[in-house]
């Protein structure tokens, strides 16, 4: 009976020690809160036009390291990029569909800073249609400095 009791005490002590190690080693236990902001430049673009997504992570500790910032377009993963010691992360992208795109920047945290996220939107319109050239023969630039058109070549001058 004494041996059975010693085993129970040993198991209880082992479980308690493991729980303490996990609690002390957990990044969430030591991490301080962070906040994230996100910006798209430009916030309105045409299909295929370049847009730079920028996230800024604020934390009283160094936000670099860890898993960085993950950018999403709705539920679609765009990319995960590193965060600088100053809390900056950016990702250039473009969109292939029109409409309002909800962009989320999710800072994944590190051993010093907790996770945080923010959202912004990018409005994507159809690519502009190129203008049709004017009828006639163009020299240098259509509609520019010199524009010739075929037609009546009789020039009359009235002096009077």
């Amino acid at each position: 009976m004494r041996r059975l009791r010693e085993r129970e005490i040993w198991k209880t002590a082992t479980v308690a020690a493991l729980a303490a190690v996990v609690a002390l080693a957990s990044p969430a236990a030591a991490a301080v809160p962070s906040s994230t902001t996100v910006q798209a430049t430009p916030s309105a673009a045409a299909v295929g036009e370049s847009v730079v997504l920028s996230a800024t992570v604020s934390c009283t500790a160094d936000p670099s390291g860890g898993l960085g910032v993950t950018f999403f377009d709705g539920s679609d993963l765009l990319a995960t990029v590193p965060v600088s010691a100053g809390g900056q992360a950016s990702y250039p992208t473009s969109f292939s569909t029109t409409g309002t795109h909800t962009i989320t920047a999710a800072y994944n945290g590190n051993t010093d800073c907790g996770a945080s996220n923010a959202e912004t939107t990018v409005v994507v319109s159809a690519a502009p249609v190129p203008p049709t050239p004017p009828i006639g023969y163009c020299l240098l630039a259509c509609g520019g400095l010199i524009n010739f058109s075929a037609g009546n070549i009789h020039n009359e001058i009235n002096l009077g």
Side-chain angles (χ1 to χ4, degrees):
M1 180 140 177
R2 182 176 175 178
R3 214 171 250 275
L4 181 61
R5 188 168 179 193
E6 286 176 2
R7 276 190 196 165
E8 288 175 16
I9 292 172
W10 176 251
K11 284 181 185 178
T12 303
T14 303
V15 169
L18 287 173
V21 167
V22 168
L24 292 174
S26 171
V32 295
S34 72
S35 66
T36 299
T37 58
V38 63
Q39 177 178 329
T41 306
S43 61
V47 168
E49 185 179 1
S50 182
V51 175
V52 177
L53 306 176
S54 302
T56 302
V57 178
S58 298
C59 182
T60 56
D62 181 357
S64 64
L67 298 176
V69 170
T70 303
F71 290 100
F72 294 91
D73 177 6
S75 61
D76 296 332
L77 171 69
L78 296 176
T80 299
V81 298
V83 178
S84 71
Q88 302 298 311
S90 65
Y91 176 68
T93 190
S94 63
F95 299 92
S96 60
T97 59
T98 61
T100 300
H101 294 257
T102 301
I103 304 300
T104 302
Y107 172 62
N108 300 301
N110 63 20
T111 56
D112 298 323
C113 299
S116 58
N117 63 68
E119 289 184 352
T120 192
T121 57
V122 177
V123 178
V124 179
S125 61
V129 177
T132 57
I135 298 173
Y137 303 102
C138 299
L139 183 62
L140 298 178
C142 291
L145 297 175
I146 302 172
N147 188 2
F148 295 98
S149 60
N152 186 350
I153 59 170
H154 297 289
N155 290 322
E156 296 180 18
I157 299 174
N158 293 325
L159 299 172

